[in-house]
Amino acid sequence: MKSLQEQETELLHQESGILTAKLQRRSFLQYAGAGMAGVALIAAGCKKDHNNTPGLDTGVDLGSGDIGILNYAYALEQLEGAFYAAVIASPYTGISTAELSLLTDIRDHELAHREFFKKALGAGAIVGLDVNFSSINFADRTSVLTTAKAFEDLGVSAYNGAGKLIKTAKYLEVAGKIVSVEARHAALIRDLISNGSFADSTAVDANGLDGARTPIQVLTIAKAYLKTQINASNLPTS
């Protein structure tokens, strides 16, 4: 049986070829997911850093180390994917053909992200989460786009905050590829809300940098939209 180090080295070698291949974005996610399918094999070797936070220490356990962070990202992509799927399934009143097309593209991106993490984690993936969108009026454009902006900004800050917690370089590289897409979504949603506002500074600091949130901060916000409780107590903190 291969050692933990040999398994991880082999996995990274597989991912290296995937990440340098010239693929369409959808194909990249599919192939990267296949290459990362063995990630669960190294779960047992991941460090556990207990982060006991009221309200986030019961429910579905995200796990620890890099596996925990990947499950954290998977949980967020499940939430975003479910939101945009609901938007497209029942478009808001007066939606234009152009807006429907753009939001459909975002839905497809988020569902691809979700399936990527599910496949990458394999047996180590958390269960499918039940969402709670009772506060959103899907028939109202303002309600939908305001929520979309909040979700996209939350996603960007989540990936930015999680970057320093990822120990495996190739996972960090994949996260960087995904957060750049999330940032494009954030810019587009701003423009749909107010034409020309795609580069507004509401989520940017004085140095022109997007904000970052810790997993606990992000999940505290996200839990308002989830029926499923999430246990983030074992996620790394540094």
Side-chain angles (χ1 to χ4, degrees), residues 79 83 130-136 146-147 150-151 154 219-228:
L79 179 61
F83 168 72
D130 292 326
V131 297
N132 173 19
F133 292 149
S134 59
S135 64
I136 306 168
T146 299
T147 305
F151 278 164
L154 186 66
L219 292 171
T220 298
I221 295 171
K223 70 179 182 179
Y225 300 97
L226 290 169
K227 293 179 182 177
T228 305

Side-chain angles (χ1 to χ4, degrees), residues 99 141 145 185-200:
E99 287 188 358
R141 182 178 186 271
L145 294 184
H185 295 170
L188 172 61
I189 295 299
R190 279 168 165 71
D191 225 33
L192 293 181
I193 293 173
S194 179
N195 187 37
S197 66
F198 63 92
D200 79 26

Side-chain angles (χ1 to χ4, degrees), residues 212-223:
R213 290 186 175 98
T214 67
I216 297 303
Q217 290 173 326
V218 169
L219 292 171
T220 298
I221 295 171
K223 70 179 182 179

